[in-house]
Structures are given as structure tokens and as C-alpha cells.
Amino acid sequence: MNTSSMDIANLKEQIRDKLNHSYIKQIVGQPFIDDDKLMILSALMDCQSSLSEIEKERCIITAMLIQVALDTHEQVPITFQPNMSNDEKAVIQLRVLAGDYYSGLYYLLLSEIEQYDLIHTLAAAIKEINEYKMKLYYLDENLIEESMDLIRKIDISLILYVADYVKDPSLNDISSEWLIINRLIREKDNLNNKVESTFLRKFLNSNHISFINRVDSVIHEKCLTVKNRLADLPEHHKLLKEHISNKLRIAEKNFKASIVEEG
């Protein structure tokens, strides 16, 4: 499978088609599909000569269905707020069911090609990710570094398990660094737009300025690390390299702009 931009678009369309449920979409909106994780999984599968084209495609789509399910559950508040209306509570409950529905799709997809080893691999990844989320929930809000490390593990674990399944760790390091950059940028946007998230719940009552400054510092450090590691990516990962390079330039530009504004 040559992961051209057209292939990525086709994979994303197939994922959207699998996730398409008119009632869920009407109430909780379009499910979030992480383009960066899709690109990484596609680049990883592109190198697997032992798998057929349909197996590669199913692995990618299945892993992304799980990711969407996990992301959907992550948007669910831990508790209902006292002033919530019944309609708001119903939307939250439906979001839980939507995540469960998306989770069930991957079992159906895998059963069609009988990849039982992959089912066990992905189930182990889900278990580990949920354990990290529980640790994050109970972690002291002042432990920002530890919290960011748990977020990094939550975001990279699924890809690490897939990489282990296909016995190819070549993208593990750069993926781990790149995904935490994207997550922190997304969380900064959430904070600026007053959108609550699992990560931000821990820091909403803490010093926002101190928190944002530390996040900015980590984004800057990780961008430098990723830029250095991009040079070591082999030629057959050209599409992923271009994708990350383009987004890296945007991230660095926005970072400099935010420093000027805050200065």
C-alpha cells in the first residue's frame, strides 16, 4: 500500500463511513478523527510486506476506530454538574453509548478477517490506556510534568502496541514526541476557548499563567527534538516526513506569535 495523500483520504473516508450514525451525529456531532495518528499508522503499515493490502487497511481502520472510541469517552465529564439540564445529561449519556458503539465496530471488522492476535493486542492497549487515564485522574494537580508524561503515554500507547504487533519500532520515538506536541497545542486551544477536557480538569483551579508557560516550554523543546529526528527518517517515510514538517512549521510560527503577544 503506497500511502499517498489520496490513500489517506480514502482511509479517512472509510473510517467516517464506519462511524456514520445519523442519530449519534445529530446529538453529539461528528466524531474526531486524529489525522496525525492516521498518518503514523499508515506509514507503519506501509512497510509491512508480510501483510496483504486488505490486512493493512483493516489494521489501520480498526486501530482508528478504537482511537475514536477512546477520544469520545474522554469527552465525558466524571460527574454531572448540579445545574445541568436533563437534555445536557442525555447528551453526556449518549456520548458514553457512542464510544461503546464505536468500540464494538472494531470487533466486527476484525472478525471479518479473523485477526485474533490483533484483537488481543488492541485489547491490551485499551486496558493500558485506561489504567493511565485512572492514574491521571488521581494524580495531584501540582504534578504538571507527571501529568504530561501520562498524557504522552495515553496518546502513544495504541501506536506502540500496533508497532509491536508488526515488529517495527522505527517510528516509536518520533511519534511519541510528535503526538504530545499536538495534544498540548490542542489543550491550549481548549483552555483559550473554555472547552473542558480530561487533561485540563486538573489545572482549571491552578495558576493558568504558570501552566501555559510550562506547556509552551515543552512544546518548544519537543519541536526541536522532532525536527532533529525528522532528518533520520528513511526515504520510504517521505509522506509522513512532509506532513510532520509542514505542521511543525505552523506550530513554531504560532509559538513565536504567542510569545510576541504575551510579551
Side-chain angles (χ1 to χ4, degrees), residues 92-125:
I92 290 171
Q93 291 166 338
L94 184 60
R95 199 177 294 280
V96 174
L97 294 175
D100 293 341
Y101 170 72
Y102 299 150
S103 296
L105 291 175
Y106 93 85
Y107 285 108
L108 174 63
L109 197 61
L110 284 175
S111 68
E112 294 174 356
I113 50 174
E114 299 182 344
Q115 287 179 276
Y116 301 117
D117 288 345
L118 184 57
I119 291 176
H120 293 151
T121 296
L122 295 175

PDB file of all heavy atoms in Angstrom, residues 92-125:
ATOM      1  N   ILE A  92     -24.599  13.661  27.395  1.00  0.00           N
ATOM      2  CA  ILE A  92     -23.435  13.012  28.010  1.00  0.00           C
ATOM      3  C   ILE A  92     -23.608  11.497  28.009  1.00  0.00           C
ATOM      4  O   ILE A  92     -22.692  10.741  27.667  1.00  0.00           O
ATOM      5  CB  ILE A  92     -23.232  13.530  29.452  1.00  0.00           C
ATOM      6  CG1 ILE A  92     -22.756  14.985  29.414  1.00  0.00           C
ATOM      7  CG2 ILE A  92     -22.234  12.665  30.212  1.00  0.00           C
ATOM      8  CD1 ILE A  92     -22.736  15.662  30.762  1.00  0.00           C
ATOM      9  N   GLN A  93     -24.802  11.049  28.371  1.00  0.00           N
ATOM     10  CA  GLN A  93     -25.075   9.609  28.395  1.00  0.00           C
ATOM     11  C   GLN A  93     -24.970   9.015  26.994  1.00  0.00           C
ATOM     12  O   GLN A  93     -24.455   7.901  26.806  1.00  0.00           O
ATOM     13  CB  GLN A  93     -26.453   9.352  29.002  1.00  0.00           C
ATOM     14  CG  GLN A  93     -26.507   9.656  30.499  1.00  0.00           C
ATOM     15  CD  GLN A  93     -27.930   9.720  31.041  1.00  0.00           C
ATOM     16  OE1 GLN A  93     -28.882   9.940  30.282  1.00  0.00           O
ATOM     17  NE2 GLN A  93     -28.087   9.549  32.347  1.00  0.00           N
ATOM     18  N   LEU A  94     -25.442   9.770  26.004  1.00  0.00           N
ATOM     19  CA  LEU A  94     -25.358   9.289  24.627  1.00  0.00           C
ATOM     20  C   LEU A  94     -23.900   9.251  24.162  1.00  0.00           C
ATOM     21  O   LEU A  94     -23.514   8.365  23.400  1.00  0.00           O
ATOM     22  CB  LEU A  94     -26.187  10.176  23.696  1.00  0.00           C
ATOM     23  CG  LEU A  94     -26.254   9.713  22.235  1.00  0.00           C
ATOM     24  CD1 LEU A  94     -26.875   8.322  22.142  1.00  0.00           C
ATOM     25  CD2 LEU A  94     -27.047  10.693  21.381  1.00  0.00           C
ATOM     26  N   ARG A  95     -23.091  10.186  24.648  1.00  0.00           N
ATOM     27  CA  ARG A  95     -21.681  10.192  24.279  1.00  0.00           C
ATOM     28  C   ARG A  95     -20.989   8.918  24.778  1.00  0.00           C
ATOM     29  O   ARG A  95     -20.129   8.350  24.103  1.00  0.00           O
ATOM     30  CB  ARG A  95     -20.980  11.438  24.846  1.00  0.00           C
ATOM     31  CG  ARG A  95     -19.674  11.756  24.154  1.00  0.00           C
ATOM     32  CD  ARG A  95     -19.069  13.032  24.715  1.00  0.00           C
ATOM     33  NE  ARG A  95     -19.857  14.203  24.421  1.00  0.00           N
ATOM     34  CZ  ARG A  95     -19.852  14.862  23.269  1.00  0.00           C
ATOM     35  NH1 ARG A  95     -19.090  14.422  22.283  1.00  0.00           N
ATOM     36  NH2 ARG A  95     -20.588  15.929  23.085  1.00  0.00           N
ATOM     37  N   VAL A  96     -21.372   8.468  25.972  1.00  0.00           N
ATOM     38  CA  VAL A  96     -20.838   7.211  26.505  1.00  0.00           C
ATOM     39  C   VAL A  96     -21.241   6.057  25.593  1.00  0.00           C
ATOM     40  O   VAL A  96     -20.417   5.215  25.214  1.00  0.00           O
ATOM     41  CB  VAL A  96     -21.356   6.948  27.935  1.00  0.00           C
ATOM     42  CG1 VAL A  96     -20.908   5.565  28.425  1.00  0.00           C
ATOM     43  CG2 VAL A  96     -20.863   8.020  28.892  1.00  0.00           C
ATOM     44  N   LEU A  97     -22.510   6.031  25.219  1.00  0.00           N
ATOM     45  CA  LEU A  97     -23.002   4.960  24.350  1.00  0.00           C
ATOM     46  C   LEU A  97     -22.359   5.024  22.968  1.00  0.00           C
ATOM     47  O   LEU A  97     -22.088   3.992  22.345  1.00  0.00           O
ATOM     48  CB  LEU A  97     -24.528   5.041  24.228  1.00  0.00           C
ATOM     49  CG  LEU A  97     -25.312   4.764  25.518  1.00  0.00           C
ATOM     50  CD1 LEU A  97     -26.804   4.990  25.289  1.00  0.00           C
ATOM     51  CD2 LEU A  97     -25.058   3.340  25.999  1.00  0.00           C
ATOM     52  N   ALA A  98     -22.102   6.247  22.495  1.00  0.00           N
ATOM     53  CA  ALA A  98     -21.448   6.408  21.187  1.00  0.00           C
ATOM     54  C   ALA A  98     -20.053   5.806  21.226  1.00  0.00           C
ATOM     55  O   ALA A  98     -19.640   5.098  20.298  1.00  0.00           O
ATOM     56  CB  ALA A  98     -21.377   7.887  20.815  1.00  0.00           C
ATOM     57  N   GLY A  99     -19.317   6.075  22.314  1.00  0.00           N
ATOM     58  CA  GLY A  99     -17.986   5.491  22.462  1.00  0.00           C
ATOM     59  C   GLY A  99     -18.046   3.975  22.485  1.00  0.00           C
ATOM     60  O   GLY A  99     -17.218   3.290  21.863  1.00  0.00           O
ATOM     61  N   ASP A 100     -19.037   3.424  23.178  1.00  0.00           N
ATOM     62  CA  ASP A 100     -19.214   1.964  23.229  1.00  0.00           C
ATOM     63  C   ASP A 100     -19.555   1.413  21.843  1.00  0.00           C
ATOM     64  O   ASP A 100     -19.083   0.343  21.443  1.00  0.00           O
ATOM     65  CB  ASP A 100     -20.323   1.600  24.217  1.00  0.00           C
ATOM     66  CG  ASP A 100     -19.949   1.919  25.658  1.00  0.00           C
ATOM     67  OD1 ASP A 100     -18.743   2.069  25.937  1.00  0.00           O
ATOM     68  OD2 ASP A 100     -20.856   2.027  26.499  1.00  0.00           O
ATOM     69  N   TYR A 101     -20.384   2.158  21.133  1.00  0.00           N
ATOM     70  CA  TYR A 101     -20.781   1.743  19.780  1.00  0.00           C
ATOM     71  C   TYR A 101     -19.569   1.707  18.853  1.00  0.00           C
ATOM     72  O   TYR A 101     -19.358   0.740  18.122  1.00  0.00           O
ATOM     73  CB  TYR A 101     -21.833   2.712  19.241  1.00  0.00           C
ATOM     74  CG  TYR A 101     -22.168   2.548  17.776  1.00  0.00           C
ATOM     75  CD1 TYR A 101     -22.910   1.451  17.333  1.00  0.00           C
ATOM     76  CD2 TYR A 101     -21.767   3.490  16.836  1.00  0.00           C
ATOM     77  CE1 TYR A 101     -23.225   1.304  15.991  1.00  0.00           C
ATOM     78  CE2 TYR A 101     -22.070   3.355  15.498  1.00  0.00           C
ATOM     79  CZ  TYR A 101     -22.803   2.250  15.075  1.00  0.00           C
ATOM     80  OH  TYR A 101     -23.104   2.103  13.749  1.00  0.00           O
ATOM     81  N   TYR A 102     -18.732   2.751  18.917  1.00  0.00           N
ATOM     82  CA  TYR A 102     -17.531   2.794  18.086  1.00  0.00           C
ATOM     83  C   TYR A 102     -16.573   1.661  18.458  1.00  0.00           C
ATOM     84  O   TYR A 102     -15.927   1.074  17.587  1.00  0.00           O
ATOM     85  CB  TYR A 102     -16.822   4.141  18.241  1.00  0.00           C
ATOM     86  CG  TYR A 102     -17.641   5.338  17.815  1.00  0.00           C
ATOM     87  CD1 TYR A 102     -17.465   6.581  18.426  1.00  0.00           C
ATOM     88  CD2 TYR A 102     -18.597   5.234  16.810  1.00  0.00           C
ATOM     89  CE1 TYR A 102     -18.204   7.687  18.039  1.00  0.00           C
ATOM     90  CE2 TYR A 102     -19.349   6.335  16.428  1.00  0.00           C
ATOM     91  CZ  TYR A 102     -19.154   7.559  17.039  1.00  0.00           C
ATOM     92  OH  TYR A 102     -19.891   8.650  16.673  1.00  0.00           O
ATOM     93  N   SER A 103     -16.494   1.350  19.767  1.00  0.00           N
ATOM     94  CA  SER A 103     -15.629   0.252  20.214  1.00  0.00           C
ATOM     95  C   SER A 103     -16.076  -1.070  19.610  1.00  0.00           C
ATOM     96  O   SER A 103     -15.256  -1.889  19.176  1.00  0.00           O
ATOM     97  CB  SER A 103     -15.652   0.134  21.746  1.00  0.00           C
ATOM     98  OG  SER A 103     -15.119   1.270  22.360  1.00  0.00           O
ATOM     99  N   GLY A 104     -17.393  -1.284  19.584  1.00  0.00           N
ATOM    100  CA  GLY A 104     -17.924  -2.538  19.066  1.00  0.00           C
ATOM    101  C   GLY A 104     -17.648  -2.745  17.594  1.00  0.00           C
ATOM    102  O   GLY A 104     -17.543  -3.881  17.123  1.00  0.00           O
ATOM    103  N   LEU A 105     -17.487  -1.652  16.865  1.00  0.00           N
ATOM    104  CA  LEU A 105     -17.258  -1.764  15.430  1.00  0.00           C
ATOM    105  C   LEU A 105     -15.946  -2.475  15.107  1.00  0.00           C
ATOM    106  O   LEU A 105     -15.840  -3.184  14.110  1.00  0.00           O
ATOM    107  CB  LEU A 105     -17.248  -0.367  14.788  1.00  0.00           C
ATOM    108  CG  LEU A 105     -18.592   0.378  14.735  1.00  0.00           C
ATOM    109  CD1 LEU A 105     -18.379   1.778  14.187  1.00  0.00           C
ATOM    110  CD2 LEU A 105     -19.603  -0.370  13.877  1.00  0.00           C
ATOM    111  N   TYR A 106     -14.940  -2.285  15.970  1.00  0.00           N
ATOM    112  CA  TYR A 106     -13.649  -2.873  15.624  1.00  0.00           C
ATOM    113  C   TYR A 106     -13.665  -4.395  15.784  1.00  0.00           C
ATOM    114  O   TYR A 106     -12.982  -5.098  15.047  1.00  0.00           O
ATOM    115  CB  TYR A 106     -12.520  -2.203  16.410  1.00  0.00           C
ATOM    116  CG  TYR A 106     -12.110  -2.829  17.718  1.00  0.00           C
ATOM    117  CD1 TYR A 106     -11.183  -3.872  17.740  1.00  0.00           C
ATOM    118  CD2 TYR A 106     -12.582  -2.335  18.925  1.00  0.00           C
ATOM    119  CE1 TYR A 106     -10.763  -4.428  18.941  1.00  0.00           C
ATOM    120  CE2 TYR A 106     -12.164  -2.880  20.124  1.00  0.00           C
ATOM    121  CZ  TYR A 106     -11.257  -3.930  20.129  1.00  0.00           C
ATOM    122  OH  TYR A 106     -10.847  -4.462  21.313  1.00  0.00           O
ATOM    123  N   TYR A 107     -14.448  -4.906  16.721  1.00  0.00           N
ATOM    124  CA  TYR A 107     -14.567  -6.363  16.846  1.00  0.00           C
ATOM    125  C   TYR A 107     -15.211  -6.950  15.586  1.00  0.00           C
ATOM    126  O   TYR A 107     -14.795  -7.987  15.087  1.00  0.00           O
ATOM    127  CB  TYR A 107     -15.398  -6.733  18.072  1.00  0.00           C
ATOM    128  CG  TYR A 107     -14.682  -6.555  19.374  1.00  0.00           C
ATOM    129  CD1 TYR A 107     -15.027  -5.528  20.242  1.00  0.00           C
ATOM    130  CD2 TYR A 107     -13.650  -7.413  19.752  1.00  0.00           C
ATOM    131  CE1 TYR A 107     -14.364  -5.356  21.448  1.00  0.00           C
ATOM    132  CE2 TYR A 107     -12.977  -7.253  20.951  1.00  0.00           C
ATOM    133  CZ  TYR A 107     -13.346  -6.226  21.794  1.00  0.00           C
ATOM    134  OH  TYR A 107     -12.687  -6.061  22.986  1.00  0.00           O
ATOM    135  N   LEU A 108     -16.220  -6.256  15.097  1.00  0.00           N
ATOM    136  CA  LEU A 108     -16.895  -6.712  13.878  1.00  0.00           C
ATOM    137  C   LEU A 108     -15.928  -6.714  12.700  1.00  0.00           C
ATOM    138  O   LEU A 108     -15.853  -7.679  11.928  1.00  0.00           O
ATOM    139  CB  LEU A 108     -18.094  -5.809  13.579  1.00  0.00           C
ATOM    140  CG  LEU A 108     -18.833  -6.071  12.260  1.00  0.00           C
ATOM    141  CD1 LEU A 108     -19.434  -7.477  12.262  1.00  0.00           C
ATOM    142  CD2 LEU A 108     -19.917  -5.025  12.037  1.00  0.00           C
ATOM    143  N   LEU A 109     -15.148  -5.645  12.594  1.00  0.00           N
ATOM    144  CA  LEU A 109     -14.213  -5.510  11.477  1.00  0.00           C
ATOM    145  C   LEU A 109     -13.138  -6.592  11.517  1.00  0.00           C
ATOM    146  O   LEU A 109     -12.823  -7.215  10.508  1.00  0.00           O
ATOM    147  CB  LEU A 109     -13.564  -4.120  11.518  1.00  0.00           C
ATOM    148  CG  LEU A 109     -12.863  -3.625  10.253  1.00  0.00           C
ATOM    149  CD1 LEU A 109     -13.842  -3.523   9.099  1.00  0.00           C
ATOM    150  CD2 LEU A 109     -12.218  -2.277  10.506  1.00  0.00           C
ATOM    151  N   LEU A 110     -12.583  -6.839  12.704  1.00  0.00           N
ATOM    152  CA  LEU A 110     -11.531  -7.842  12.833  1.00  0.00           C
ATOM    153  C   LEU A 110     -12.058  -9.258  12.630  1.00  0.00           C
ATOM    154  O   LEU A 110     -11.362 -10.119  12.092  1.00  0.00           O
ATOM    155  CB  LEU A 110     -10.860  -7.738  14.205  1.00  0.00           C
ATOM    156  CG  LEU A 110      -9.893  -6.579  14.394  1.00  0.00           C
ATOM    157  CD1 LEU A 110      -9.387  -6.529  15.826  1.00  0.00           C
ATOM    158  CD2 LEU A 110      -8.712  -6.694  13.443  1.00  0.00           C
ATOM    159  N   SER A 111     -13.301  -9.482  13.055  1.00  0.00           N
ATOM    160  CA  SER A 111     -13.857 -10.828  12.908  1.00  0.00           C
ATOM    161  C   SER A 111     -14.011 -11.222  11.446  1.00  0.00           C
ATOM    162  O   SER A 111     -13.994 -12.401  11.100  1.00  0.00           O
ATOM    163  CB  SER A 111     -15.216 -10.916  13.612  1.00  0.00           C
ATOM    164  OG  SER A 111     -16.188 -10.128  12.932  1.00  0.00           O
ATOM    165  N   GLU A 112     -14.129 -10.209  10.591  1.00  0.00           N
ATOM    166  CA  GLU A 112     -14.292 -10.476   9.163  1.00  0.00           C
ATOM    167  C   GLU A 112     -13.012 -11.025   8.535  1.00  0.00           C
ATOM    168  O   GLU A 112     -13.052 -11.678   7.494  1.00  0.00           O
ATOM    169  CB  GLU A 112     -14.726  -9.196   8.441  1.00  0.00           C
ATOM    170  CG  GLU A 112     -16.124  -8.724   8.850  1.00  0.00           C
ATOM    171  CD  GLU A 112     -16.472  -7.380   8.242  1.00  0.00           C
ATOM    172  OE1 GLU A 112     -15.602  -6.794   7.570  1.00  0.00           O
ATOM    173  OE2 GLU A 112     -17.608  -6.904   8.450  1.00  0.00           O
ATOM    174  N   ILE A 113     -11.863 -10.763   9.158  1.00  0.00           N
ATOM    175  CA  ILE A 113     -10.602 -11.289   8.614  1.00  0.00           C
ATOM    176  C   ILE A 113      -9.894 -12.183   9.636  1.00  0.00           C
ATOM    177  O   ILE A 113      -8.769 -12.609   9.413  1.00  0.00           O
ATOM    178  CB  ILE A 113      -9.663 -10.145   8.174  1.00  0.00           C
ATOM    179  CG1 ILE A 113      -9.504  -9.102   9.286  1.00  0.00           C
ATOM    180  CG2 ILE A 113     -10.130  -9.505   6.905  1.00  0.00           C
ATOM    181  CD1 ILE A 113      -8.491  -8.029   8.955  1.00  0.00           C
ATOM    182  N   GLU A 114     -10.541 -12.439  10.755  1.00  0.00           N
ATOM    183  CA  GLU A 114     -10.069 -13.401  11.764  1.00  0.00           C
ATOM    184  C   GLU A 114      -8.649 -13.104  12.260  1.00  0.00           C
ATOM    185  O   GLU A 114      -7.833 -14.007  12.408  1.00  0.00           O
ATOM    186  CB  GLU A 114     -10.149 -14.826  11.206  1.00  0.00           C
ATOM    187  CG  GLU A 114     -11.565 -15.235  10.827  1.00  0.00           C
ATOM    188  CD  GLU A 114     -11.641 -16.668  10.332  1.00  0.00           C
ATOM    189  OE1 GLU A 114     -10.592 -17.238   9.990  1.00  0.00           O
ATOM    190  OE2 GLU A 114     -12.753 -17.214  10.316  1.00  0.00           O
ATOM    191  N   GLN A 115      -8.363 -11.843  12.567  1.00  0.00           N
ATOM    192  CA  GLN A 115      -7.054 -11.483  13.121  1.00  0.00           C
ATOM    193  C   GLN A 115      -7.142 -11.488  14.650  1.00  0.00           C
ATOM    194  O   GLN A 115      -7.157 -10.450  15.301  1.00  0.00           O
ATOM    195  CB  GLN A 115      -6.605 -10.118  12.600  1.00  0.00           C
ATOM    196  CG  GLN A 115      -6.184 -10.162  11.143  1.00  0.00           C
ATOM    197  CD  GLN A 115      -5.755  -8.801  10.631  1.00  0.00           C
ATOM    198  OE1 GLN A 115      -6.581  -7.996  10.238  1.00  0.00           O
ATOM    199  NE2 GLN A 115      -4.457  -8.555  10.646  1.00  0.00           N
ATOM    200  N   TYR A 116      -7.170 -12.683  15.219  1.00  0.00           N
ATOM    201  CA  TYR A 116      -7.383 -12.823  16.656  1.00  0.00           C
ATOM    202  C   TYR A 116      -6.207 -12.273  17.467  1.00  0.00           C
ATOM    203  O   TYR A 116      -6.400 -11.727  18.561  1.00  0.00           O
ATOM    204  CB  TYR A 116      -7.636 -14.293  16.998  1.00  0.00           C
ATOM    205  CG  TYR A 116      -8.834 -14.870  16.275  1.00  0.00           C
ATOM    206  CD1 TYR A 116      -8.686 -15.918  15.373  1.00  0.00           C
ATOM    207  CD2 TYR A 116     -10.114 -14.334  16.471  1.00  0.00           C
ATOM    208  CE1 TYR A 116      -9.779 -16.429  14.682  1.00  0.00           C
ATOM    209  CE2 TYR A 116     -11.207 -14.835  15.792  1.00  0.00           C
ATOM    210  CZ  TYR A 116     -11.036 -15.883  14.903  1.00  0.00           C
ATOM    211  OH  TYR A 116     -12.123 -16.371  14.219  1.00  0.00           O
ATOM    212  N   ASP A 117      -4.983 -12.420  16.947  1.00  0.00           N
ATOM    213  CA  ASP A 117      -3.825 -11.879  17.657  1.00  0.00           C
ATOM    214  C   ASP A 117      -3.915 -10.359  17.770  1.00  0.00           C
ATOM    215  O   ASP A 117      -3.536  -9.773  18.792  1.00  0.00           O
ATOM    216  CB  ASP A 117      -2.526 -12.261  16.934  1.00  0.00           C
ATOM    217  CG  ASP A 117      -2.193 -13.733  17.094  1.00  0.00           C
ATOM    218  OD1 ASP A 117      -2.790 -14.363  17.982  1.00  0.00           O
ATOM    219  OD2 ASP A 117      -1.347 -14.242  16.330  1.00  0.00           O
ATOM    220  N   LEU A 118      -4.412  -9.729  16.707  1.00  0.00           N
ATOM    221  CA  LEU A 118      -4.546  -8.275  16.731  1.00  0.00           C
ATOM    222  C   LEU A 118      -5.629  -7.853  17.726  1.00  0.00           C
ATOM    223  O   LEU A 118      -5.492  -6.827  18.399  1.00  0.00           O
ATOM    224  CB  LEU A 118      -4.876  -7.744  15.329  1.00  0.00           C
ATOM    225  CG  LEU A 118      -4.942  -6.219  15.195  1.00  0.00           C
ATOM    226  CD1 LEU A 118      -3.644  -5.565  15.636  1.00  0.00           C
ATOM    227  CD2 LEU A 118      -5.258  -5.812  13.761  1.00  0.00           C
ATOM    228  N   ILE A 119      -6.688  -8.629  17.837  1.00  0.00           N
ATOM    229  CA  ILE A 119      -7.739  -8.338  18.820  1.00  0.00           C
ATOM    230  C   ILE A 119      -7.131  -8.319  20.224  1.00  0.00           C
ATOM    231  O   ILE A 119      -7.374  -7.396  21.006  1.00  0.00           O
ATOM    232  CB  ILE A 119      -8.874  -9.379  18.753  1.00  0.00           C
ATOM    233  CG1 ILE A 119      -9.656  -9.241  17.443  1.00  0.00           C
ATOM    234  CG2 ILE A 119      -9.828  -9.209  19.939  1.00  0.00           C
ATOM    235  CD1 ILE A 119     -10.732 -10.285  17.257  1.00  0.00           C
ATOM    236  N   HIS A 120      -6.317  -9.329  20.536  1.00  0.00           N
ATOM    237  CA  HIS A 120      -5.684  -9.389  21.853  1.00  0.00           C
ATOM    238  C   HIS A 120      -4.721  -8.224  22.066  1.00  0.00           C
ATOM    239  O   HIS A 120      -4.659  -7.640  23.157  1.00  0.00           O
ATOM    240  CB  HIS A 120      -4.942 -10.717  22.019  1.00  0.00           C
ATOM    241  CG  HIS A 120      -5.845 -11.906  22.080  1.00  0.00           C
ATOM    242  ND1 HIS A 120      -5.472 -13.167  21.653  1.00  0.00           N
ATOM    243  CD2 HIS A 120      -7.123 -12.034  22.515  1.00  0.00           C
ATOM    244  CE1 HIS A 120      -6.471 -14.008  21.822  1.00  0.00           C
ATOM    245  NE2 HIS A 120      -7.488 -13.336  22.326  1.00  0.00           N
ATOM    246  N   THR A 121      -3.990  -7.872  21.019  1.00  0.00           N
ATOM    247  CA  THR A 121      -3.041  -6.754  21.094  1.00  0.00           C
ATOM    248  C   THR A 121      -3.767  -5.445  21.384  1.00  0.00           C
ATOM    249  O   THR A 121      -3.378  -4.677  22.282  1.00  0.00           O
ATOM    250  CB  THR A 121      -2.259  -6.621  19.775  1.00  0.00           C
ATOM    251  OG1 THR A 121      -1.469  -7.792  19.583  1.00  0.00           O
ATOM    252  CG2 THR A 121      -1.350  -5.397  19.792  1.00  0.00           C
ATOM    253  N   LEU A 122      -4.840  -5.189  20.657  1.00  0.00           N
ATOM    254  CA  LEU A 122      -5.578  -3.936  20.828  1.00  0.00           C
ATOM    255  C   LEU A 122      -6.319  -3.908  22.160  1.00  0.00           C
ATOM    256  O   LEU A 122      -6.433  -2.847  22.795  1.00  0.00           O
ATOM    257  CB  LEU A 122      -6.550  -3.749  19.661  1.00  0.00           C
ATOM    258  CG  LEU A 122      -5.886  -3.565  18.291  1.00  0.00           C
ATOM    259  CD1 LEU A 122      -6.926  -3.500  17.183  1.00  0.00           C
ATOM    260  CD2 LEU A 122      -5.013  -2.315  18.271  1.00  0.00           C
ATOM    261  N   ALA A 123      -6.807  -5.058  22.606  1.00  0.00           N
ATOM    262  CA  ALA A 123      -7.477  -5.122  23.907  1.00  0.00           C
ATOM    263  C   ALA A 123      -6.487  -4.789  25.025  1.00  0.00           C
ATOM    264  O   ALA A 123      -6.824  -4.085  25.989  1.00  0.00           O
ATOM    265  CB  ALA A 123      -8.073  -6.508  24.129  1.00  0.00           C
ATOM    266  N   ALA A 124      -5.246  -5.279  24.900  1.00  0.00           N
ATOM    267  CA  ALA A 124      -4.204  -4.970  25.889  1.00  0.00           C
ATOM    268  C   ALA A 124      -3.882  -3.475  25.873  1.00  0.00           C
ATOM    269  O   ALA A 124      -3.666  -2.859  26.929  1.00  0.00           O
ATOM    270  CB  ALA A 124      -2.945  -5.788  25.596  1.00  0.00           C
ATOM    271  N   ALA A 125      -3.875  -2.876  24.675  1.00  0.00           N
ATOM    272  CA  ALA A 125      -3.613  -1.436  24.556  1.00  0.00           C
ATOM    273  C   ALA A 125      -4.713  -0.631  25.244  1.00  0.00           C
ATOM    274  O   ALA A 125      -4.433   0.329  25.982  1.00  0.00           O
ATOM    275  CB  ALA A 125      -3.518  -1.042  23.083  1.00  0.00           C
TER     276      ALA A 125
END
